[in-house]
Every structure is written in structure tokens, then in C-alpha cells.
Amino acid sequence: GAVVSQHPSRVICKSGTSVKIECRSLDFQATTMFWYRQFPKQSLMLMATSNEGSKATYEQGVEKDKFLINHASLTLSTLTVTSAHPEDSSFYICSARDGARQEAFFGQGTRLTVV
Amino acid sequence: QKEVEQDPGPLSVPEGAIVSLNCTYSNSAFQYFMWYRQYSRKGPELLMYTYSSGNKEDGRFTAQVDKSSKYISLFIRDSQPSDSATYLCAMSRGSYIPTFGRGTSLIVHP
């Protein structure tokens, strides 16, 4: 299967700082990338969808100024959590899909803890 | 009613049992069906992918899609403790955003 690499796997940051999470497709071109948030024992919550070269489309209730998404190339998307607060602590997962296939492949996830 | 319904479990079975995991859905436009396995604190891993109705087998895993009933299943034969994880179904139509079930927690005890 296709490989999606997500970094970092864990990050602890101070309240008020910003954190950047990277998502890379290693062996395919990701025309579409998805960013999810997952709380313990809960399902995936879609935050936003991004297509290469376009602005991300955010789901209702997700602050686009707080969760900045950049999809500048066909192999890299980034999620920046700006001015992080303890309530932003969560498990963030990216997913990527290329235009020729319907299935999406996930990164390993990033556990963010804001202290 | 949610677009995709999946019983969260937990489903507890003894080692060696045949496991049946299921999802129902309401949108008849879904054409692509996927099953993912997610271990604790890890990203989901794609297990099976099927298009339209029918069966697909891969090792100990069999995916079934019944579009007339809007029902999909994942069977795991000879289940192992290492199969203990959360299994998520997902489905989509064309290039649309996949819709996920909430996941079923499976526990296979020795």
C-alpha cells in the first residue's frame, strides 16, 4: 500500500505557542489531503480537506485561523495549530489520496499535548 | 440517522474465532467501500478496499458488500490476539470525501 509519513508523532508545547505538523506522501502524489482530529475512544472527526494548490475547505465549527493548512505540493501538507491552548490537546491524523485511486491512506498520527 | 452506522462494541472473542464486523449506510450513491484497522494511538491502516457489490478476500480477511441491503461486512478468520484493534468502515462516492463509521473495538483473548 501507499505510504504516508506524518511528523512529529508526539509533541508537547506551551500554551500560546504554535505547532506545525507535517504530512508527506512518500510514493504517490496526493492530490487531496484530509486532516482529522480524534479524541480518546472516539471516531475520526474531519477538520478540513485540501487540494494541492488550493485553499483548504474547513468543516463547520473548525476555525481556519487557528488551524492553518497548507498543501503547497503534491507530496506535502502541513497543519499549524496557532496559539495553542490545552483544549487543543488531541490526536491529529492526516490522510492522503491520489487522483487515480479512491482509497485514502493515513499517517501515523500526532499526539499534541498543550501545557 | 447517521450516514454510516457501526456498533462501537467492544466485541470480545476467543482466539481462533471467526469475527464478523458490520456497517450499514443510508446513502445509495456510495460505491467505494473500505475497512481500516486502527491500533491504539496509531493512524488507521487500510485493510480492504472494494468497489460496488461483491466479495473480496485477502488472507484471513474477507470483505463483503451488499448494496441492495446497504450493508457491508468484514470477516476475520482464525482471529489472533494481534487482531485486537478498532476497525473502521469507510465509504465514498467518486472523488468525494470518505465517510467513516465510528469504529468497532475488537478484543481477541487468548
Side-chain angles (χ1 to χ4, degrees):
Chain A
V3 179
V4 176
S5 177
Q6 184 176 343
H7 291 280
S9 58
R10 312 186 78 157
V11 59
I12 301 173
C13 70
K14 291 185 177 180
S15 187
T17 62
S18 295
V19 173
K20 181 184 281 189
I21 302 170
E22 287 192 352
C23 182
R24 293 181 184 271
S25 58
L26 299 186
D27 52 2
F28 68 100
Q29 293 185 327
T31 52
T32 305
M33 284 195 174
F34 308 96
W35 286 95
Y36 295 87
R37 186 172 179 176
Q38 189 176 38
F39 293 101
K41 298 189 178 182
Q42 298 294 315
S43 187
L44 302 167
M45 185 187 82
L46 180 65
M47 298 175 65
T49 303
S50 71
N51 293 297
E52 185 264 340
S54 303
K55 288 185 178 180
T57 301
Y58 290 81
E59 295 299 300
Q60 191 173 9
V62 178
E63 298 178 59
K64 62 180 181 181
D65 293 330
K66 182 167 185 63
F67 299 99
L68 300 179
I69 291 171
N70 184 284
H71 190 172
S73 78
L74 284 171
T75 59
L76 174 65
S77 177
T78 60
L79 167 67
T80 301
V81 183
T82 62
S83 187
H85 290 280
E87 57 264 31
D88 298 325
S89 298
S90 191
F91 191 56
Y92 294 87
I93 316 174
C94 70
S95 174
R97 182 172 70 187
D98 77 33
R101 305 171 70 166
Q102 296 300 324
E103 63 270 46
F105 298 91
F106 284 85
Q108 305 94 317
T110 297
R111 181 157 303 280
L112 170 64
T113 303
V114 184
V115 297
Chain B
Q1 181 189 11
K2 290 184 178 179
E3 271 198 302
V4 179
E5 297 277 2
Q6 185 176 12
D7 187 331
L11 175 63
S12 182
V13 302
E15 184 175 355
I18 297 175
V19 174
S20 173
L21 302 164
N22 312 293
C23 288
T24 59
Y25 62 95
S26 57
N27 189 341
S28 58
F30 286 139
Q31 296 177 294
Y32 303 91
F33 304 90
M34 293 147 281
W35 284 97
Y36 291 86
R37 176 175 63 195
Q38 185 178 23
Y39 292 112
S40 181
R41 302 188 180 187
K42 300 289 184 184
E45 171 195 8
L46 180 66
L47 282 178
M48 301 287 283
Y49 163 71
T50 53
Y51 169 68
S52 195
S53 284
N55 294 0
K56 185 174 184 178
E57 187 173 321
D58 184 0
R60 295 184 296 114
F61 299 92
T62 300
Q64 283 188 351
V65 175
D66 182 349
K67 291 192 71 178
S68 61
S69 301
K70 299 191 184 67
Y71 188 89
I72 69 170
S73 301
L74 177 70
F75 298 97
I76 307 175
R77 291 185 297 281
D78 187 25
S79 56
Q80 303 295 311
S82 58
D83 294 327
S84 299
T86 296
Y87 290 80
L88 300 112
C89 64
M91 45 200 80
S92 67
R93 48 190 179 110
S95 58
Y96 285 81
I97 299 168
T99 301
F100 283 83
R102 63 175 295 180
T104 298
S105 175
L106 171 67
I107 301 169
V108 181
H109 52 86

